[in-house]
Amino acid sequence: MNITNVLIILGFIFFALLLLVLIIGTLYLFFIDRRQKQHPILRNYPVIGRVRYFLETIGPELRQYLFNNDLEGKPFSREEYEHIVKKAKYKRDVLGFGSKRDFEEKGYYIRNSMFPKLSEELKMDQQINVTTNRYLLIKEPLFTQKEERLEENDSLAFLLDDSDAIVIGKNTRYPFIVKGQIGMSAMSYGSLGENAITALSEGLAIAKGTWMNTGEGGLSEYHLKGGVDIIMQIGPGLFGVRDKEGNFNWDALKEKSKIPEVKAFELKLAQGAKTRGGHIDGEKVTEEIARIRMVEPYKSIDSPNRFREFQDFPSLFDFMEQIREQTGKPVGMKVVIGSGHEADELAKHIKSTGKGPDFITVDGGEGGTGATYQELADSVGLPIKSALPLMDHALRKYGVRDQVKIIASGKLFSPDRVAIALAMGADLVNIARGFMITIGCIQALKCHSNACPVGVATTDPDLQKALVIDEKKYRTANYLISMREGLFRLAAAAGLDSPAHFQSEHVVYKDEKGKVWSLKEIYQSLVEKVD
């Protein structure tokens, strides 16, 4: 018997066995499905009904890559996602032929000047340069991977001029001086893995002039890796500044305040996507995370939805005064605005007590989170374009706007969105998910599961191997630098020499009928009921 006949016989035996296995497997599933009591589809259509559950499982991926058009995806459309990636990867983001925006729809527009500023008229720091790595696209074939070349790139950091620098806590012993208007919003170690936090820290440090917020999970060594300025957030769980009984630990606070990178502290009263306390499952509370948060390892931890240390504005402000006195550094608060009443009450108490925050982070309801509940994410807390004017107006109404800086957050991931937020009253802007995308996030929507497939929102050491710090840190830097460059480009178009000078008169609103309203008119309609 020659080799050909042997191979034919072996092939026949293999396919016969394969067919037998398939028949036995199908019969097994048939009887299992017929007898189970949970799924009616499988009882009536055993085996075939499983196709439905398979398609249901892969439905998000099918919609994301095949069926949604460029503008439909949520939370970020394909176009929005790609604009972030292009800034991060190529350090540029240009388009051809025309915008995909639906100009028949209502929306905000930046008011252009008949006489825009020339490049040489822009007022920015001309001394600080940055060196990053970026990709050059060589070829984009249809069936194979893109051909790209990595090159070193030098550019300006696109920071504000010294005269426009933003000073937080000007009356504290150690004011926080910021020359870049965009920083990283609160993201905890534990919610994100060590590789992700490290890449963000080092990338932000490369870009210079910015900050990162630790989130309520405490200050980790990974936040400090790059040497970037830090705003340490303190949530109701007091992670990182608590004793064994869960009480506030003033000695721990003072130790943290001695770290040079820590420039300010933020009390988290609420977050746009979850106006509640936080939760982390015991399996994610490793010994390292437990040490950082000052809790017991491998036990689920919850933070309450309110601080126990204060119960109203006067006691909150007294608590802030203690922190400011103990540390000498600015103290702020993160809030979600539910109506003009809350903003008005906050500003009124700042005026009447002569105390209060050095900065207020206003978080819009459209902001992201590692895990929350649908009813909270969708329906509690105003979006940023409503909340921000209310907060700014209230502070101006009571004459305390000059002593309080406003940081805005809530899907402000592009230069035009940032510029509109600045015109609405923000001094600075926080971004979270935009930065996550720079280090590899693909919107798998698995942040709550510790199973992030790209190693960003997970502490699983095997999954984290996907995230290469030395490559992703440059993408973070490129994105931030491109964002700041875009802000200066918009300022020039509006006739301004710096994005620090955006005001309400530089933005207009067009309704669905084509009528144009000034932002001042919109502003007034939002706040008139408060007055």
Side-chain angles (χ1 to χ4, degrees), residues 60 64 74-76 370 441-449 452-453:
Q64 183 177 2
K74 300 292 182 183
F76 290 80
C441 170
I442 61 169
Q443 293 192 94
L445 308 183
K446 294 183 180 292
C447 305
H448 59 290
S449 67
C452 173

Side-chain angles (χ1 to χ4, degrees), residues 266-283:
E266 178 183 81
L267 297 177
K268 176 187 171 183
L269 271 65
Q271 180 181 341
K274 53 177 182 185
T275 50
R276 65 176 184 92
H279 171 82
I280 182 169
D281 290 329
E283 63 182 24

